[in-house]
Amino acid sequence: GAGVSQSPSNKVTEKGKDVELRCDPISGHTALYWYRQSLGQGLEFLIYFQGNSAPDKSGLPSDRFSAERTGGSVSTLTIQRTQQEDSAVYLCASSLGGAKETQYFGPGTRLLVL
Amino acid sequence: GESVGLHLPTLSVQEGDNSIINCAYSNSASDYFIWYKQESGKGPQFIIDIRSNMDKRQGQRVTVLLNKTVKHLSLQIAATQPGDSAVYFCAEMDTGANSKLTFGKGITLSVRP
């Protein structure tokens, strides 16, 4: 079936604006992850959803960042009052749910805050 | 603190040669390790994984070696091809603690024709 999809693929916004990034995981995958990748860097964990459990938000860098996962499927990452340092690629991944299950990544959303 | 890092930022190899990409990790509790490949403009793609009860695992043209004594992970690519050119990331997880992957910073593999 289809892989993980993300939208938009690119987003340019002005400092101070809010943005919403969307992730559609692979059908049947109960776990969903958000990561941030700054230029030339590795991936930084942001948040993790597993089924109906409370999400692990330990990686969110500030309270301007939040995420939701509705109906156990689609997820939205929201960044409020964007700052230039928020510019990065935001990657979503999904897996079947167990800790050792392979995480499959989407193509990412490239966010540029001017 | 926990960290996963790569020894070299870039690696250039001749097409047809074997490539070896190395990675060090510091969390001795990590028991699951993965190599990802990321091509320009794409998300990371799973290559191969290994659990801590193994020291070697082979896939198609790739082999991952794990040395828990020195906390070292390596990815070997046999007969490197131009399509192998990408950034490679190692990642580690302590599955007893959580399901979060900790990624290294990545190494760029460049294959010379």
Side-chain angles (χ1 to χ4, degrees), chain A residues 37 45 58 99-100 103 110, chain B residues 32 36 38 41 43 93 99-100:
Chain A
Q37 185 175 30
F45 167 81
S58 60
K100 295 179 181 177
Q103 295 182 26
R110 283 148 193 81
Chain B
Y32 180 52
Y36 281 93
Q38 187 174 27
M93 180 190 291
S99 298
K100 294 187 289 188

Side-chain angles (χ1 to χ4, degrees), chain B residues 47-65:
Chain B
I47 301 174
I48 192 167
D49 61 2
I50 188 167
R51 283 134 174 86
S52 59
N53 61 350
M54 304 172 68
D55 54 19
K56 180 179 180 179
R57 189 166 189 223
Q58 289 184 294
Q60 186 176 11
R61 282 202 307 118
V62 295
T63 301
V64 55
L65 299 176

Side-chain angles (χ1 to χ4, degrees), chain A residues 6 21-23 32-35 45-47 75 77 91-92:
Chain A
Q6 294 185 244
L21 313 180
R22 176 187 169 104
C23 173
L32 186 148
Y33 305 78
W34 282 98
Y35 294 88
F45 167 81
L46 296 177
I47 189 170
S75 178
L77 176 69
L91 289 156
C92 174

Side-chain angles (χ1 to χ4, degrees), chain A residues 64-102:
Chain A
R64 296 187 295 106
F65 288 71
S66 62
E68 292 184 342
R69 189 178 185 193
T70 55
S73 180
V74 172
S75 178
T76 301
L77 176 69
T78 301
I79 309 174
Q80 295 178 308
R81 305 180 301 282
T82 52
Q83 303 295 314
Q84 289 183 333
E85 60 263 28
D86 299 334
S87 297
V89 177
Y90 290 83
L91 289 156
C92 174
S94 71
S95 76
L96 285 171
K100 295 179 181 177
E101 294 292 342
T102 301

Side-chain angles (χ1 to χ4, degrees), chain B residues 26-81:
Chain B
S26 61
N27 183 7
S28 57
S30 292
D31 59 351
Y32 180 52
F33 305 88
I34 309 173
W35 281 100
Y36 281 93
K37 170 187 180 182
Q38 187 174 27
E39 296 174 285
S40 181
K42 298 183 179 179
Q45 176 186 2
F46 172 89
I47 301 174
I48 192 167
D49 61 2
I50 188 167
R51 283 134 174 86
S52 59
N53 61 350
M54 304 172 68
D55 54 19
K56 180 179 180 179
R57 189 166 189 223
Q58 289 184 294
Q60 186 176 11
R61 282 202 307 118
V62 295
T63 301
V64 55
L65 299 176
L66 175 63
N67 185 331
K68 294 182 289 295
T69 301
V70 295
K71 296 197 282 291
H72 184 269
L73 191 70
S74 69
L75 177 70
Q76 300 178 359
I77 305 173
T80 312
Q81 302 171 358

Side-chain angles (χ1 to χ4, degrees), chain A residues 1 5-6 9-10 12 17 29 39 41 59 65 70 74 97 111:
Chain A
S5 61
Q6 294 185 244
S9 54
N10 293 281
V12 181
K17 300 282 190 181
H29 281 192
L39 186 63
Q41 299 295 312
F65 288 71
T70 55
V74 172
L111 175 65

